[in-house]
């Protein structure tokens, strides 16, 4: 990334999110989860979008060569122009993105989840006339928090964990979030799956 673009992203995305992330990240077992404002929720949501989208970019590089070549990076097979244009133009992301956030249960990854799995299935793409709208999902963990971003243009999603008050939406339509009131979510409780490329909706 050139110096000019890096500077714009720092001002537009990194700066507004930095203090909020510091409030959210647990630093001890006695961490007090804060309530964040709608403006702060938007800042974190846009920052998480930037991290996920640029981390998965096919041409992304990392200072650590082992990270850059790691098999688990999960580079995108395709990049839609709308995913990046908002960052270049320093405007809000499209509403076709949804950013979910939940608190991670400390047992996640240690004890397999054996309860009910909430499943959300999305097609790989949707045809709107001659326009092919692709779908995408990506997940990232940030110190006690799990975030999932979904690109689902024209396809509403109902997340049962949000309905239960155990996950929140950072984007679109951000609202104030009381993280202390969110119940912890175990790894494997919810599965958002984007079908393979030969499955589509019209």
């Amino acid at each position: 990334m050139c110096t000019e673009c890096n500077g714009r992203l720092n001002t537009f995305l990194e700066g507004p999110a930095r203090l909020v992330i510091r409030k959210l990240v647990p630093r001890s077992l006695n961490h007090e989860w804060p309530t964040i404002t709608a403006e702060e929720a938007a800042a974190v949501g846009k920052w998480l979008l930037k991290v996920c989208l640029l981390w998965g970019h096919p041409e992304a590089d990392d200072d650590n060569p082992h990270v850059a070549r790691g098999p688990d990076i999960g580079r995108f097979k395709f990049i839609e122009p709308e995913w990046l244009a908002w960052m270049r133009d320093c405007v809000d992301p499209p509403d076709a993105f949804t950013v979910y956030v939940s608190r991670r249960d400390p047992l996640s990854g240690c004890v397999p989840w054996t309860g009910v799995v909430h499943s959300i299935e999305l097609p790989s793409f949707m045809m709107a006339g001659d326009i092919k709208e692709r779908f995408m999902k990506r997940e990232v963990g940030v110190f006690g928090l799990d975030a999932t971003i979904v690109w689902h243009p024209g396809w509403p999603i109902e997340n049962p964990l949000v309905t239960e008050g155990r996950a929140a939406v950072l984007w679109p339509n951000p609202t104030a979030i009381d993280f202390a009131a969110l119940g912890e979510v175990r790894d494997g409780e919810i599965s958002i799956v984007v079908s393979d490329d030969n499955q589509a909706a019209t």
Side-chain angles (χ1 to χ4, degrees):
M1 184 179 297
C2 71
T3 302
E4 181 183 351
C5 287
N6 192 58
R8 285 207 311 268
L9 288 183
N10 183 62
T11 301
F12 175 56
L13 296 174
E14 302 283 348
R18 189 172 291 117
L19 293 178
V20 191
I21 294 293
R22 288 175 180 167
K23 286 197 300 185
L24 287 173
V25 171
R27 299 182 183 276
S28 72
L29 294 176
N30 299 318
H31 176 68
E32 294 187 9
W33 290 97
T35 297
I36 65 174
T37 66
E39 183 178 358
E40 290 174 324
V44 175
K46 289 186 278 189
W47 178 78
L48 286 167
L49 271 174
K50 184 219 74 164
V51 170
C52 287
L53 294 172
L54 295 186
W55 183 246
H57 195 288
E59 298 177 13
D61 198 4
D62 194 280
D63 292 341
N64 185 333
H66 296 291
V67 172
R69 292 193 297 266
D72 298 325
I73 296 300
R75 303 295 187 196
F76 291 124
K77 296 179 181 178
F78 59 88
I79 293 284
E80 297 289 2
E82 299 95 328
W83 297 2
L84 305 179
W86 65 276
M87 283 187 269
R88 289 194 300 267
D89 298 336
C90 293
V91 297
D92 283 341
D95 287 351
F97 280 118
T98 298
V99 183
Y100 298 106
V101 66
S102 61
R103 287 172 47 191
R104 182 185 306 126
D105 188 314
L107 294 176
S108 287
C110 300
V111 179
W113 174 248
T114 57
V116 175
V117 176
H118 299 292
S119 180
I120 298 173
E121 297 187 6
L122 301 172
S124 59
F125 62 92
M126 176 179 65
M127 296 303 299
D130 295 333
I131 300 174
K132 185 176 185 179
E133 296 280 10
R134 296 179 182 269
F135 290 67
M136 173 273 291
K137 179 212 73 169
R138 193 165 181 88
E139 298 172 335
V140 63
V142 186
F143 304 109
L145 294 172
D146 283 326
T148 301
I149 72 168
V150 188
W151 172 256
H152 55 110
W155 191 283
I157 295 178
E158 184 174 338
N159 187 327
L161 294 186
V162 174
T163 305
E164 294 172 10
R166 300 173 60 223
V169 176
L170 295 169
W171 189 266
N173 307 316
T175 59
I177 301 171
D178 180 0
F179 276 84
L182 291 181
E184 294 172 335
V185 175
R186 293 276 294 278
D187 185 32
E189 280 196 66
I190 187 165
S191 173
I192 301 178
V193 178
V194 177
S195 303
D196 57 36
D197 285 343
N198 61 6
Q199 294 185 341
T202 55

